[in-house]
Amino acid sequence: MAAVTSPDPLPLPVGALLVAAGGTVGVLARALLTQPVAPGAWPWRTFVVNVVGSLLLGALLAVLQRGPDVGRRRAVRLGVGTGVLGGFTTYSTFALEVEQLVATGHAATGVAYALGSVVLGVVAAGAGLLLVGRVLAFRPPRDDAAGGPS
């Protein structure tokens, strides 16, 4: 049985550097936007960051799925999708905030925050995928052998 190989492999160190560089940008953007919240308060900034990040990831996937995951398309997926948007969104902070809400006697707010974040995050990703996909449907796909986003 022959091994399946990518026609345009991205060397692992290059992919890792793209993720690290993008992650740095995403984490810095989130750090500038978020702040600790008072006990019992809805963590609006984390909520908005996660929903907007999900929307942008859906939009990015709509663009990237128009061709094979090779070349520039793969580099964009790793650098922007995994790196920037992975660093921008924060489900670890989200989980910590849910735990803090529940532990400080604000269980209803914690449950609403948890459910609202997950449901709206999935809806936002789907909306980004659908909306950008519809816009791109009016553009003919480019014959891009280098795997660049079209």
Side-chain angles (χ1 to χ4, degrees):
M1 179 177 206
V4 176
T5 59
S6 170
D8 184 18
L10 189 65
L12 183 58
V14 173
L17 286 174
L18 288 170
V19 171
T24 300
V25 171
V27 167
L28 285 172
R30 176 170 37 95
L32 293 172
L33 295 173
T34 58
Q35 296 177 345
V37 296
W42 186 280
W44 281 108
R45 292 180 184 215
T46 303
F47 180 79
V48 170
V49 159
N50 283 335
V51 172
V52 169
S54 296
L55 176 73
L56 294 174
L57 186 57
L60 178 66
L61 291 177
V63 172
L64 295 178
Q65 72 180 5
R66 291 174 50 95
D69 185 34
V70 297
R72 287 180 288 168
R73 188 171 284 114
R74 179 176 289 176
V76 169
R77 179 179 59 81
L78 290 173
V80 178
T82 305
V84 174
L85 295 175
F88 183 66
T89 57
T90 174
Y91 280 90
S92 58
T93 299
F94 156 73
L96 179 63
E97 291 167 343
V98 169
E99 188 279 327
Q100 289 174 340
L101 285 167
V102 172
T104 58
H106 302 91
T109 303
V111 170
Y113 176 59
L115 291 175
S117 292
V118 171
V119 169
L120 283 180
V122 170
V123 168
L129 190 62
L130 184 68
L131 292 173
V132 172
R134 286 193 177 186
V135 169
L136 293 176
F138 293 107
R139 290 182 51 204
R142 293 186 343 204
D143 184 22
D144 188 358
S150 57

